[in-house]
Amino acid sequence: MRLVIQRVSHASVTVYKEGHEYDKEYVEYKDEIGKGLMILVGIEETDSTDDIEWLTSKVSAIRIFDDENGIMNLSIKDIDGECLAISQFTLFASTKKGNRPSWFRAAKQDISEPLYNVYCKVLEEKLGKEVHRGVFGADMKVELCNDGPVTILIDSKNRE
């Protein structure tokens, strides 16, 4: 499982009815957060609940928010921040051959969607609050203001 974590001042995800991108009258789904973490979640076929447990522990405790001295010393829990988790199969793009990425490492929906939902649920339990989400498999428009910028990559297969 692979995550891209971004410290944000705000972030949102919007899904529009097909053929009506960016038309406010045709919004099917929208969710947004204030200060916190926007997390892209990529899942591969070999991922399991063990990967979820390790990653949610990391995300809930990683100290990337500034303390009173401007030092990154606080976690999402310390600042009572919010999280927005977006499923993102393209995190497993292979670009070794040619110019068109291949997605052979990304898990198919029957594996990835349940694992994504479990990831969000376990993270909610560790944070003690709702994890906002995108719509699995939808064409989503994601907007964010990266604070810092701070962007962290975490792969559960590279724990050491």
Side-chain angles (χ1 to χ4, degrees):
M1 191 172 279
R2 192 172 283 167
L3 304 180
V4 174
I5 302 167
Q6 295 178 294
R7 184 178 79 179
V8 298
S9 58
H10 60 86
S12 68
V13 59
T14 307
V15 177
Y16 296 90
K17 291 183 182 173
E18 191 172 333
H20 296 281
E21 285 76 19
Y22 305 106
D23 187 337
K24 292 180 182 180
E25 292 182 37
Y26 293 94
V27 171
E28 280 190 15
Y29 175 86
K30 182 169 178 102
D31 206 349
E32 57 192 340
I33 64 169
K35 185 175 183 175
L37 299 175
M38 208 287 293
I39 306 166
L40 301 176
V41 181
I43 298 168
E44 62 182 326
E45 302 241 349
T46 59
D47 289 332
S48 69
T49 54
D50 181 54
D51 296 289
I52 291 169
E53 183 62 34
W54 186 77
L55 285 168
T56 55
S57 292
K58 277 287 191 193
V59 168
S60 62
I62 195 165
R63 299 182 320 175
I64 60 172
F65 293 92
D66 293 348
D67 64 15
E68 63 280 355
N69 298 315
I71 306 293
M72 283 195 264
N73 202 27
L74 301 175
S75 72
I76 188 76
K77 290 166 67 171
D78 294 331
I79 67 154
D80 194 30
E82 299 179 280
C83 286
L84 174 61
I86 306 289
S87 61
Q88 185 73 28
F89 76 94
T90 62
L91 294 180
F92 284 103
S94 174
T95 57
K96 290 181 180 181
K97 288 181 160 184
N99 294 320
R100 184 169 185 246
S102 165
W103 320 111
F104 69 90
R105 286 190 54 203
K108 304 290 184 257
Q109 183 174 355
D110 62 325
I111 293 171
S112 58
E113 187 172 10
L115 285 175
Y116 165 74
N117 288 328
V118 170
Y119 171 85
C120 292
K121 184 177 189 277
V122 172
L123 186 57
E124 284 177 341
E125 291 167 2
K126 290 192 177 177
L127 296 176
K129 65 184 345 181
E130 176 186 11
V131 169
H132 299 262
R133 305 177 191 199
V135 177
F136 191 92
D139 180 9
M140 295 175 274
K141 308 304 179 204
V142 179
E143 296 182 50
L144 63 108
C145 182
N146 192 321
D147 181 15
V150 175
T151 302
I152 309 287
L153 304 173
I154 302 178
D155 191 316
S156 63
K157 303 303 189 254
N158 294 327
R159 297 184 196 194
E160 297 176 22

